[in-house]
């Protein structure tokens, strides 16, 4: 089968289209004929081998897993002998980050419990755009953020992969949502249901004397003390991404900065979850959330898709389709 393989860390130029062995599914796996893959920041980090600490998992000198691509949709081609939830011919979507990655290939194997039947009301591209970004948004808002109906919730970085789902998921919980994005994305996030929009090129939300019960930070940077000032007395700030400085500050200093207050600040490392992917599927089927796709690239143009991902300004998701 054809696959985009990388044997050294580097720029998208190290991705090579090669003929490789088709995977055979283990007993608890399904083999998927891949129809679409969406790229996540994690794909870009593993391609570059940066931040360096991820090499302890991915391979110190060179990548041990040579095919990237986690968020995948496709058609079940074969099933392992212990598989109970799927049969040949089912349309599925999955987060392969728990199955050894490998979506950027004609076929990929997935643990049975990493996959869910694709919602019938969306395309393969739209389905592939969902898993990691939507589950991260859900876990950030629900698990770390303890989101409640009627709360004032702010999403910083509302126009990206995680942010576009976060706006819609927060609305589905009944929150009053403020979305922070740049000028070009104001209408997009409004259309996704944001009640208020702050254009970060014109206004700094941490300096306008407004406070929020929950802030989900997916992109950009603000000092922790500024986030603290933008929280209500029992407010919660959940960092899911952004600059490395933002991520490490929230991870290491969140508890220190909020000492003596009822505010909470911390970092989320999302965990792939079949239950959560099923919940997201239901939200899609009920018309409560939908994928936003900046651009879909043909498989052969995968390196160009990575080049765009690296720029960091996609509105929604970047997809590769077969
Ligand atoms: N915690 C986890 O487990 C987990 C899981 C998935 C992702 N993540 C992380 O979450 C972050 C977001 O991922 P993503 O997939 O949403 O990224 P993404 O799609 O690449 O984000 C692109 C978006 O970010 C916006 N943006 C860039 N700079 C900004 C700023 N200063 N303020 C506000 N928005 C800004 C861009 O809008 P403009 O063009 O308008 O600037 C663009 O719409 C990444 O750091 C990723 O690594 C974490």
């Amino acid at each position: 089968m054809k696959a985009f393989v990388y044997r050294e860390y580097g720029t998208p130029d190290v991705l090579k289209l090669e003929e490789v062995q088709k995977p055979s599914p283990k007993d608890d796996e399904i083999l998927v004929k891949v129809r679409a893959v969406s790229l996540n920041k994690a794909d870009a980090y593993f391609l570059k081998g940066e931040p360096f600490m991820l090499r302890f998992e991915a391979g110190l000198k060179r990548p041990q897993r040579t095919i990237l691509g986690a968020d995948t949709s496709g058609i079940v081609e074969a099933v392992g002998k212990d598989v109970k939830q799927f049969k040949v011919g089912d349309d599925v979507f999955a987060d392969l980050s728990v199955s050894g990655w490998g979506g950027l290939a004609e076929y990929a194997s997935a643990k049975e419990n990493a996959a869910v039947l694709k919602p019938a009301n969306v395309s393969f591209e739209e389905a592939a755009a969902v898993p990691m970004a939507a589950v991260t948004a859900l876990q950030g808002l629900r698990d770390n953020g303890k989101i409640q109906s009627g709360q004032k919730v702010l999403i910083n970085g509302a126009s990206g992969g995680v942010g576009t789902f976060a706006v819609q998921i927060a609305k589905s919980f009944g929150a009053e949502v403020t979305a922070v994005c740049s000028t070009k994305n104001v209408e997009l996030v409004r259309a996704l249901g944001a009640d208020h929009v702050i254009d970060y090129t014109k206004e700094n939300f941490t300096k306008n004397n407004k406070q929020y019960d929950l802030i989900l930070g997916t992109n950009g940077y603000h000092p922790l003390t500024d986030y603290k000032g933008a929280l209500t007395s029992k407010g919660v700030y959940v960092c899911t991404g952004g600059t490395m400085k933002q991520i490490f500050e929230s991870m290491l200093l969140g508890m220190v900065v909020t000492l003596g207050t009822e505010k909470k600040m911390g970092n989320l490392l999302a965990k792939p979850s079949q239950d959560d992917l099923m919940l997201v599927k239901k939200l899609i089927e009920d018309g409560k959330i939908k994928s936003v796709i900046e651009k879909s690239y043909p498989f052969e143009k995968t390196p160009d898709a990575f080049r765009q991902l690296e720029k960091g300004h996609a509105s929604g998701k970047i997809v590769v389709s077969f």
Side-chain angles (χ1 to χ4, degrees):
M1 67 167 187
K2 287 190 171 55
F4 267 99
V5 174
Y6 79 125
R7 303 192 190 281
E8 56 183 317
Y9 295 118
T11 67
D13 294 339
V14 303
L15 290 163
K16 305 289 178 210
L17 188 56
E18 290 183 10
E19 202 63 42
V20 300
Q21 184 81 32
K22 187 174 166 183
S24 35
K26 299 193 183 99
D27 293 349
D28 63 344
E29 289 181 343
I30 57 177
L31 180 70
V32 177
K33 178 161 178 45
V34 179
R35 294 290 308 272
V37 175
S38 82
L39 300 184
N40 287 286
K41 274 286 163 67
D43 290 286
Y45 298 148
F46 281 117
L47 180 67
K48 264 193 163 173
E50 290 174 10
F52 190 85
M53 65 182 182
L54 67 73
R55 296 192 188 199
F56 292 109
E57 186 214 326
L60 269 186
K61 287 197 170 159
R62 56 188 64 82
Q64 299 301 311
R65 290 185 306 258
T66 54
I67 305 176
L68 292 166
D71 283 353
T72 302
S73 66
I75 303 164
V76 176
E77 170 96 356
V79 297
K81 74 174 176 49
D82 297 337
V83 168
K84 301 208 166 41
Q85 300 173 50
F86 303 102
K87 59 181 187 326
V88 171
D90 282 344
D91 294 346
V92 293
F93 65 145
D95 176 351
L96 304 185
S97 64
V98 285
S99 307
W101 298 67
L104 287 166
E106 286 179 296
Y107 296 89
S109 46
K111 295 257 177 245
E112 176 180 28
N113 63 10
V116 165
L117 287 174
K118 179 180 87 62
N121 58 337
V122 299
S123 65
F124 282 104
E125 277 98 343
E126 288 167 314
V130 171
M132 208 182 271
V135 168
T136 300
L138 173 67
Q139 292 180 359
L141 293 166
R142 181 197 60 192
D143 302 346
N144 295 45
K146 312 281 183 238
I147 190 169
Q148 301 290 326
S149 179
Q151 280 188 328
K152 289 187 194 318
V153 174
L154 180 137
I155 314 292
N156 188 26
S159 52
V162 177
T164 49
F165 283 112
V167 169
Q168 300 175 83
I169 292 172
K171 284 303 295 175
S172 78
F173 275 96
E176 182 183 326
V177 176
T178 300
V180 181
C181 64
S182 72
T183 315
K184 74 177 163 69
N185 291 311
V186 168
E187 287 316 313
L188 165 71
V189 297
R190 227 190 275 287
L192 294 176
D195 301 286
H196 315 281
V197 183
I198 295 176
D199 178 343
Y200 72 77
T201 67
K202 297 185 176 144
E203 185 181 345
N204 180 343
F205 76 89
T206 65
K207 305 285 183 204
N208 64 7
N209 294 319
K210 293 203 174 87
Q211 292 181 316
Y212 302 90
D213 303 302
L214 171 56
I215 298 176
L216 189 78
T218 79
N219 248 312
Y221 173 80
H222 291 282
L224 274 191
T225 45
D226 289 1
Y227 274 114
K228 185 182 169 193
L231 290 175
T232 53
S233 60
K234 293 183 180 175
V236 181
Y237 162 56
V238 182
C239 173
T240 71
T243 64
M244 282 301 151
K245 193 175 175 197
Q246 170 145 307
I247 293 167
F248 284 115
E249 279 186 5
S250 63
M251 202 184 289
L252 302 173
L253 301 174
M255 278 173 71
V256 180
V257 173
T258 51
L259 220 58
T261 75
E262 292 186 79
K263 301 182 187 191
K264 287 202 174 80
M265 304 175 91
N267 182 267
L268 163 82
L269 192 56
K271 291 181 197 67
S273 154
Q274 190 187 40
D275 286 346
D276 285 349
L277 193 51
M278 279 181 186
L279 210 148
V280 165
K281 177 191 173 192
K282 175 90 171 65
L283 290 172
I284 295 169
E285 288 170 341
D286 292 347
K288 299 217 166 113
I289 66 170
K290 63 179 181 186
S291 304
V292 175
I293 295 176
E294 157 89 26
K295 187 165 176 186
S296 182
Y297 290 80
F299 178 57
E300 295 71 24
K301 298 281 184 194
T302 294
D304 288 341
F306 272 87
R307 284 180 194 106
Q308 190 179 4
L309 177 75
E310 285 181 348
K311 289 182 187 153
H313 290 284
S315 305
K317 299 282 301 181
I318 295 165
V319 173
V320 167
S321 65
F322 290 71

